[in-house]
Amino acid sequence: SKKFIVATVARNIPCIERFLISARARHTPPLRYNEGEKHLYLGEAYKLVVHAGAKHKNQVEIMHGDIHVWASIPAKIQAELQKWYSHQAWEVFQDRLVEVSRHAPWVQHRKIHFKTRRMKRTWGNCSSTGLIKLNTHLVKAPVTIIDSVVAHELCHLEEMNHSPVFYTLLETLNPDWRDDRAKLRSEGFIYLRT
């Protein structure tokens, strides 16, 4: 019956969303790490500029609206970019956690512990011990999307489920969370490209 179909779909939304992300990713060509290719950072596309050889300290820098990488072969370029994204993610997420938590009274006197990790299926999670993990790939998204994921995980420090209480907290912290979630669901596969 139609009721049964609607109930089944509603019950399986997370699984369906994961399938759709996976299907989109299968039809999105992988990055090639070649000169001129576009790479995302904080929601902006930057042209990749490759310099042969090594530089002293930073192997990756944003200069003049481009991402410059000092490496010679695509595998090394990819490795350097991944290290750079991991470092940037740590810095950006630390700042965003501080900023968003200013508006969350339940975390005002709490030390927030977080880790970054490259994940394929989730943007963030919060353990029962209060450890927040954020997906390194999220640093490719606009700051508003990062803030939305951060807000979601901060709400889990107070409410460890997705109950009406949780969504009330989320609504106060990020009134646009539904739009942000929809955008991340529809465009997130782009940020996961490697």
Side-chain angles (χ1 to χ4, degrees), residues 135-153:
N135 190 334
T136 303
H137 292 295
L138 191 58
V139 79
K140 299 171 188 174
V143 172
T144 55
I145 300 298
I146 296 169
D147 285 355
S148 187
V149 173
V150 166
H152 185 103
E153 301 313 327

Side-chain angles (χ1 to χ4, degrees), residues 66-84:
D66 299 323
I67 293 182
H68 293 254
V69 181
W70 282 264
S72 52
I73 59 172
K76 184 70 173 160
I77 295 166
Q78 180 179 9
E80 291 299 333
L81 271 173
Q82 286 176 352
K83 279 194 298 189
W84 180 79

Side-chain angles (χ1 to χ4, degrees), residues 24-162:
R24 285 184 195 117
R26 283 192 300 271
H27 296 294
T28 304
L31 294 169
R32 295 174 52 193
Y33 300 92
N34 292 332
E35 179 85 23
E37 184 176 60
K38 297 287 186 179
H39 288 260
L40 295 171
Y41 176 63
L42 298 178
E44 298 292 327
Y46 292 88
K47 185 176 72 172
L48 184 64
V49 177
V50 178
H51 302 276
K55 197 180 171 210
H56 341 127
K57 190 177 178 189
N58 299 325
Q59 296 299 99
V60 180
E61 285 183 18
I62 291 182
M63 297 186 315
H64 313 295
D66 299 323
I67 293 182
H68 293 254
V69 181
W70 282 264
S72 52
I73 59 172
K76 184 70 173 160
I77 295 166
Q78 180 179 9
E80 291 299 333
L81 271 173
Q82 286 176 352
K83 279 194 298 189
W84 180 79
Y85 274 127
S86 292
H87 175 76
Q88 296 304 117
W90 177 263
E91 296 292 323
V92 169
F93 298 164
Q94 189 171 30
D95 290 345
R96 301 321 303 159
L97 277 160
V98 168
E99 183 58 34
V100 176
S101 67
R102 286 188 179 132
H103 307 286
W106 59 92
V107 296
Q108 293 303 310
H109 302 292
R110 183 184 225 165
K111 182 166 172 49
I112 299 170
H113 299 281
F114 84 100
K115 288 184 178 181
T116 59
R117 198 174 145 199
R118 291 181 63 204
M119 298 183 263
K120 292 181 180 180
R121 290 187 165 80
T122 186
W123 299 109
N125 63 52
C126 182
S127 73
S128 59
T129 62
L131 175 65
I132 292 174
K133 291 181 192 160
L134 297 169
N135 190 334
T136 303
H137 292 295
L138 191 58
V139 79
K140 299 171 188 174
V143 172
T144 55
I145 300 298
I146 296 169
D147 285 355
S148 187
V149 173
V150 166
H152 185 103
E153 301 313 327
L154 288 174
C155 289
H156 280 311
L157 292 175
E158 184 70 8
E159 194 66 30
M160 283 303 297
N161 54 46
H162 291 118

